[in-house]
Amino acid sequence: MESMRTLFGTVRRTVLGLPSSSRVAGQFSQVRFHQYDPQRVKVRKQHKGRVPVRIGGSMKGTTLEFGNYGLRLISDGVRISAKQMKEAENVMMRIVRPLAGVHIFPRLTTNVAVCTKGNETRMGKGKGPFDYWAVRVATGKILLELTGEIHEQVAKEAFRLAAQKLPGNYEVISKDTNFPMMGFTKAEKPVVENIFEKLEREPSRDYMIKKKAKNANFASYRM
């Protein structure tokens, strides 16, 4: 009976692409059920942790980078599982799949390994086994983006359906409303200054030397 179990276990690991050692299979994520599962990442049992609260003025990840429209979290920070992210993307794909040239850009990586234990379990005997992947999303972070030739109302409807699959409250932003956020406060859009125009107005000593060096009269003296 034991030999039959070993045989069936070996066949199952071979079909799923797992290594022969069951101990290695329990420590590494070898089977990826969707793209949100990290690839070749060790399942490290870590603390539960807390969603970061940005009090230092960080605005990273709160503006559009790849698309024309985005879905941004405006409520308190939440922890979202990989399955919830996949469900939200599937809902959006039903709407944008018929549209040519429209793509979805996920802005988050589910790299937090969540371990759980059964109900009414006695204390002690170590941490529970690995259950699923998750990501901690701070207030103001963008989760998904849409790019391509798509109407604004169609994009808003896709994000509205996706937000129903996710915890928290969200807003849809576009290129016109692409203002960064510091926590719950919307900051002013940063002004990008052209450094070359600034040097022409307020030239430095090094810039003047390099500019004069390109002059033909000064170049003749170097000969």
Side-chain angles (χ1 to χ4, degrees):
M1 190 67 176
E2 189 67 26
S3 60
M4 292 296 293
R5 292 179 180 177
T6 305
L7 177 61
F8 285 125
T10 305
V11 172
R12 178 177 176 272
R13 288 192 294 270
T14 304
V15 172
L16 295 177
L18 297 174
S20 58
S21 175
S22 60
R23 183 174 63 256
V24 177
Q27 292 292 327
F28 290 83
S29 177
Q30 297 289 344
V31 181
R32 299 188 69 198
F33 296 99
H34 45 74
Q35 70 270 22
Y36 286 99
D37 284 348
Q39 187 177 11
R40 295 186 299 273
V41 176
K42 187 174 183 179
V43 179
R44 182 167 55 89
K45 294 185 178 181
Q46 50 188 286
H47 292 281
K48 180 179 181 180
R50 294 292 183 268
V51 179
V53 179
R54 295 182 168 182
I55 59 176
S58 175
M59 298 182 292
K60 183 178 179 181
T62 61
T63 56
L64 296 174
E65 294 291 341
F66 308 102
N68 303 325
Y69 302 96
L71 184 66
R72 182 163 62 183
L73 178 68
I74 58 175
S75 60
D76 293 333
V78 294
R79 189 176 72 176
I80 302 176
S81 65
K83 185 176 180 181
Q84 290 173 328
M85 290 290 297
K86 182 58 181 175
E87 289 296 329
E89 186 176 349
N90 290 341
V91 171
M92 295 180 62
M93 283 300 298
R94 297 192 189 105
I95 297 179
V96 304
R97 185 179 288 112
L99 306 177
V102 179
H103 301 283
I104 301 175
F105 287 95
R107 292 285 302 273
L108 301 177
T109 302
T110 53
N111 54 1
V112 178
V114 180
C115 302
T116 58
K117 297 182 71 172
N119 296 331
E120 301 182 3
T121 304
R122 291 181 177 270
M123 296 176 61
K125 296 185 179 179
K127 194 175 178 68
F130 168 78
D131 191 9
Y132 61 91
W133 294 101
V135 58
R136 303 186 186 103
V137 185
T139 304
K141 275 274 193 176
I142 294 181
L143 280 71
L144 299 166
E145 291 187 15
L146 277 176
T147 182
E149 297 295 333
I150 182 173
H151 196 273
E152 183 178 1
Q153 296 299 327
V154 178
K156 288 183 177 181
E157 179 64 16
F159 284 130
R160 184 188 67 83
L161 297 176
Q164 294 179 354
K165 301 293 183 179
L166 301 171
N169 300 330
Y170 299 88
E171 68 173 354
V172 180
I173 63 174
S174 61
K175 290 291 186 179
D176 299 331
T177 59
N178 189 24
F179 296 98
M181 290 185 63
M182 291 187 297
F184 293 96
T185 305
K186 291 187 178 181
E188 296 182 359
K189 195 171 184 180
V191 179
V192 180
E193 187 176 7
N194 193 333
I195 187 173
F196 297 103
E197 295 179 357
K198 182 179 179 180
L199 287 175
E200 289 292 339
R201 297 193 307 267
E202 303 174 0
S204 62
R205 183 174 179 273
D206 295 337
Y207 180 75
M208 291 299 298
I209 293 175
K210 293 180 180 179
K211 188 175 181 180
K212 290 181 179 180
K214 297 179 182 180
N215 194 332
N217 297 329
F218 287 92
S220 61
Y221 289 99
R222 293 200 304 268
M223 302 298 293

